[in-house]
Amino acid sequence: MTGRSEFERRTEPFRKELLAHCYRMLASVDEAEDLVQETYLRAWRSYSSFEGRSSLRVWLYRIATNACLTALEQRGRRALPSGLGAPGDDPTGPASPTDVAWVEPLPDSLDPELVVTGRESLRLALIAALQHLAPRQRAVLILREVLAFPAAEVAVMLDTTVAAVKSTLQRARARLDEAAPDRSSVIEPTDPQARALLDTYIEGFEKADVAALERALRADAAIELVGTTTWFAGRVTCLRLLEQAVGSPGDWRMISTTANGQPAAAAYVRDATGTHQAFGLAVLTPTPTGLTHIYVFNEPELLTRFSLPLQLPPGGG
């Protein structure tokens, strides 16, 4: 029992950062949680042979990274709609379903402190861009550039050479530059402008005020309907979609939250009884000049991950 309690005491402080690491690798909260569990099981089984040639943190990251690489051998990459094709031009048409595995949003509440310190590396657009990298490229880039492990330690984790790590990192950077959007203008969710944009977005839906939504969107804004291959680019086209969606005043109620270090709105739509049933989550990308992206996850059960109810009673604001 002493050995087990010592193991837990020494390793538990790394659990949440390992979850973030596995999430960056896999783009799935569920899979990341499973892999962290597997990491701790493997670590416990081999703890008696851990000889301290590396730090405990490096040892745990080695186990977690290799568990992720094994998992990635068995499936394709996760994606967002914009990673699958060109934007649509007819918001009145039906969305196109597909069996693609999607990038999942990460509740900031899983570890607020970690999200604050590593917020940029958890933003949805970057998580999606990382999925374009080959798994080992992804691992090297995350370990070196996000987590700042020295090349020698990364080489030990991946059972390779320092030279191989450096060349892999170079290729990963070049590929990421092709896949990743410009993130320099994105502002933090605590910024007053970000809060104002979230409030305007929520007001637009709750009051069926399309003009408010128009004020919130930048001219180059995009809306992605995650779970389908459908997405739209440009404020004019996006507003045509939103005009159909807002309905009448009171049809929607929303609760503000945060996901992937970005402002988000949990959405509820009114049914025939006047009860607002969970619809899903909208994750927003705010900049000083407006929203550039709205990712819509039409998954009611997703709200339970954010400790939110699946329905709201009639009435309320």
Side-chain angles (χ1 to χ4, degrees), residues 65-182:
T65 302
N66 283 285
C68 288
L69 290 173
T70 299
L72 288 168
E73 291 175 357
Q74 301 165 20
R75 67 158 172 83
R77 71 178 177 91
R78 289 182 175 266
L80 291 172
S82 58
L84 299 175
D89 56 10
D90 181 13
T92 64
S96 303
T98 178
D99 58 0
V100 169
W102 301 103
V103 172
E104 298 176 357
L106 176 74
D108 286 10
S109 58
L110 287 181
D111 190 352
E113 182 179 349
L114 181 64
V115 171
V116 168
T117 57
R119 182 173 280 143
E120 182 176 349
S121 68
L122 290 170
R123 287 181 183 142
L124 268 175
L126 180 59
I127 295 298
L130 286 170
Q131 307 312 300
H132 288 271
L133 303 180
R136 285 182 71 85
Q137 289 182 355
R138 195 182 314 168
V140 168
L141 187 135
I142 293 169
L143 292 168
R144 288 285 291 117
E145 304 228 317
V146 175
L147 297 165
F149 282 110
E153 289 184 348
V154 175
V156 170
M157 292 181 200
L158 299 178
D159 193 23
T160 187
T161 65
V162 170
V165 167
K166 291 180 177 178
S167 63
T168 301
L169 179 60
Q170 188 174 21
R171 292 194 301 274
R173 284 172 175 162
R175 182 71 184 94
L176 190 65
D177 286 344
E178 296 173 3
D182 177 23

Side-chain angles (χ1 to χ4, degrees), residues 10-18 40 56-57 60:
R10 295 186 65 194
T11 61
E12 277 302 310
F14 301 107
R15 184 178 290 271
K16 289 181 177 179
E17 65 175 275
L18 287 168
Y40 274 77
L56 186 64
R57 182 169 181 256
L60 289 171

Side-chain angles (χ1 to χ4, degrees), residues 5-58:
S5 60
E6 176 194 308
F7 170 79
E8 292 175 350
R9 177 183 60 79
R10 295 186 65 194
T11 61
E12 277 302 310
F14 301 107
R15 184 178 290 271
K16 289 181 177 179
E17 65 175 275
L18 287 168
L19 175 63
H21 175 55
C22 292
Y23 172 73
R24 293 184 186 101
M25 287 289 295
L26 301 165
S28 165
V29 181
D30 290 334
E31 290 184 19
E33 288 178 337
D34 289 344
L35 266 294
V36 170
Q37 287 295 104
E38 184 175 337
T39 295
Y40 274 77
L41 182 59
R42 292 185 186 182
W44 167 240
R45 286 172 175 169
S46 57
Y47 184 62
S48 61
S49 61
F50 173 61
E51 298 175 349
R53 286 192 292 267
S54 66
S55 72
L56 186 64
R57 182 169 181 256
V58 169

Side-chain angles (χ1 to χ4, degrees), residues 135-312:
R136 285 182 71 85
Q137 289 182 355
R138 195 182 314 168
V140 168
L141 187 135
I142 293 169
L143 292 168
R144 288 285 291 117
E145 304 228 317
V146 175
L147 297 165
F149 282 110
E153 289 184 348
V154 175
V156 170
M157 292 181 200
L158 299 178
D159 193 23
T160 187
T161 65
V162 170
V165 167
K166 291 180 177 178
S167 63
T168 301
L169 179 60
Q170 188 174 21
R171 292 194 301 274
R173 284 172 175 162
R175 182 71 184 94
L176 190 65
D177 286 344
E178 296 173 3
D182 177 23
R183 306 181 301 277
S184 59
S185 62
V186 178
I187 55 179
E188 303 297 328
T190 53
D191 185 286
Q193 172 68 351
R195 291 178 176 176
L197 288 168
L198 176 61
D199 290 344
T200 301
Y201 177 84
I202 290 175
E203 176 185 330
F205 267 87
E206 293 188 337
K207 297 182 178 180
D209 185 351
V210 177
L213 294 169
E214 182 175 8
R215 290 194 300 273
L217 297 181
R218 251 177 37 174
D220 60 350
I223 298 177
E224 303 201 31
L225 306 181
V226 185
T228 77
T229 60
T230 303
W231 67 289
F232 301 99
R235 182 166 52 203
V236 172
T237 306
C238 289
L239 284 172
R240 289 173 58 202
L241 176 68
L242 294 172
E243 283 172 358
Q244 299 175 75
V246 295
S248 302
D251 281 353
W252 293 91
R253 287 172 64 186
M254 295 193 173
I255 298 174
S256 61
T257 184
T258 51
N260 294 80
Q262 300 172 230
Y268 299 79
V269 63
R270 183 165 55 188
D271 66 13
T273 70
T275 301
H276 284 78
Q277 303 289 349
F279 172 84
L281 187 76
V283 182
L284 314 181
T285 304
T287 73
T289 51
L291 298 176
T292 61
H293 243 92
I294 301 170
Y295 302 94
V296 180
F297 295 85
N298 182 5
E299 297 179 51
E301 297 78 13
L302 190 60
L303 300 191
T304 59
R305 278 204 167 276
F306 290 77
S307 301
L308 294 171
L310 291 177
Q311 66 177 34
L312 302 176

